[in-house]
Amino acid sequence: MANHQDETRAAYNGVVELYASLFADRLETQPFARAMIGTFAELVRATGNLRAADVGCGPGHLTAMLHEMGVDAFGLDLSPGMVDHARQAHPALRFQEAQMESLPIEDSALGGVLAHYSMIHTPPAELPELLTEQARVLAPGGLFLVSFFGTDGQEPVRFGHKVAPAYSWPADHLAELLADAGLTPFARLLHDPASERGFLDAHLLARRS
């Protein structure tokens, strides 16, 4: 586990400013992702528990977006460089260095967890444990939105992501892992981003049982 985390941390530390500049528009050019995050925020507000974690928050652009949507969002990221950038870019919000495998959050505390393309670097064998950790911090009825690269095959596919090695997932397979972790999937969105990689953009929305 430590090896892939160290590699991912170092890779993202090395591209902080470039990465932040590429995503500064906060999904203005990605209507499907924006719609799913808006739905997530609305459903989190409906639970009455406005606390939500943006895990793998990067430069904090989506943490800020959730805050503007009325969610008490805070960001967590493996990369100290990303956390420093997020704090400077959004000084009114909370950001902390943390691993998704061991969240610094008490049990059943949150109304929502957002994982926007932040679990793609996790090796498939380790993803079930990672999802169980996200479920642990959600209150019953809390919402989990995971976005990832989707594939039409039966198994995850490792590919050369521009920052660090990553995996695409069949949506059905990932939905099964969510259910095994105690998260009930109830909505999904798959669409073709016309990517040179040939993967779908995929979003699964689940509720803690």
Side-chain angles (χ1 to χ4, degrees):
M1 180 181 297
N3 288 339
H4 89 81
Q5 289 178 341
D6 291 346
E7 181 179 1
T8 302
R9 180 188 295 108
Y12 277 96
N13 275 341
V15 297
V16 172
E17 297 304 324
L18 174 61
Y19 190 92
S21 68
L22 290 174
F23 294 100
D25 61 8
R26 294 190 299 177
L27 307 186
E28 288 178 10
T29 61
Q30 300 179 46
F32 293 110
R34 190 169 65 246
M36 288 297 284
I37 292 174
T39 300
F40 167 79
E42 181 177 345
L43 293 175
V44 169
R45 293 196 306 269
T47 70
N49 182 349
L50 300 183
R51 290 186 66 198
D54 178 9
V55 296
C57 66
H61 55 300
L62 297 186
T63 315
M65 184 176 175
L66 288 173
H67 181 75
E68 291 171 2
M69 292 177 174
V71 176
D72 181 16
F74 59 96
L76 304 171
D77 201 275
L78 180 68
S79 161
M82 288 291 183
V83 171
D84 287 345
H85 180 97
R87 287 172 174 166
Q88 294 176 33
H90 310 286
L93 302 181
R94 293 163 291 149
F95 297 95
Q96 181 178 347
E97 185 180 346
Q99 296 182 1
M100 290 184 288
E101 294 83 357
S102 181
L103 296 172
I105 303 168
E106 59 271 26
D107 293 352
S108 305
L110 303 182
V113 171
L114 173 67
H116 188 77
Y117 294 93
S118 56
M119 297 185 175
I120 61 172
H121 304 295
T122 302
E126 298 173 17
L127 193 62
E129 182 178 355
L130 185 67
L131 294 174
T132 297
E133 176 67 356
Q134 314 313 301
R136 177 188 68 79
V137 302
L138 281 170
L143 283 304
F144 178 65
L145 175 60
V146 57
S147 299
F148 56 100
F149 295 108
T151 180
D152 291 330
Q154 299 298 313
E155 298 295 332
V157 176
R158 191 176 190 270
F159 68 95
H161 187 272
K162 291 181 180 179
V163 180
Y167 300 84
S168 64
W169 281 84
D172 286 342
H173 192 163
L174 190 51
E176 291 173 1
L177 295 184
L178 291 175
D180 291 343
L183 298 162
T184 303
F186 64 92
R188 69 175 64 182
L189 174 60
L190 306 175
H191 65 95
D192 183 356
S195 167
E196 67 275 9
R197 298 191 188 100
F199 299 135
L200 300 173
D201 276 339
H203 314 270
L204 286 174
L205 187 56
R207 182 179 285 109
R208 183 183 169 187
S209 305

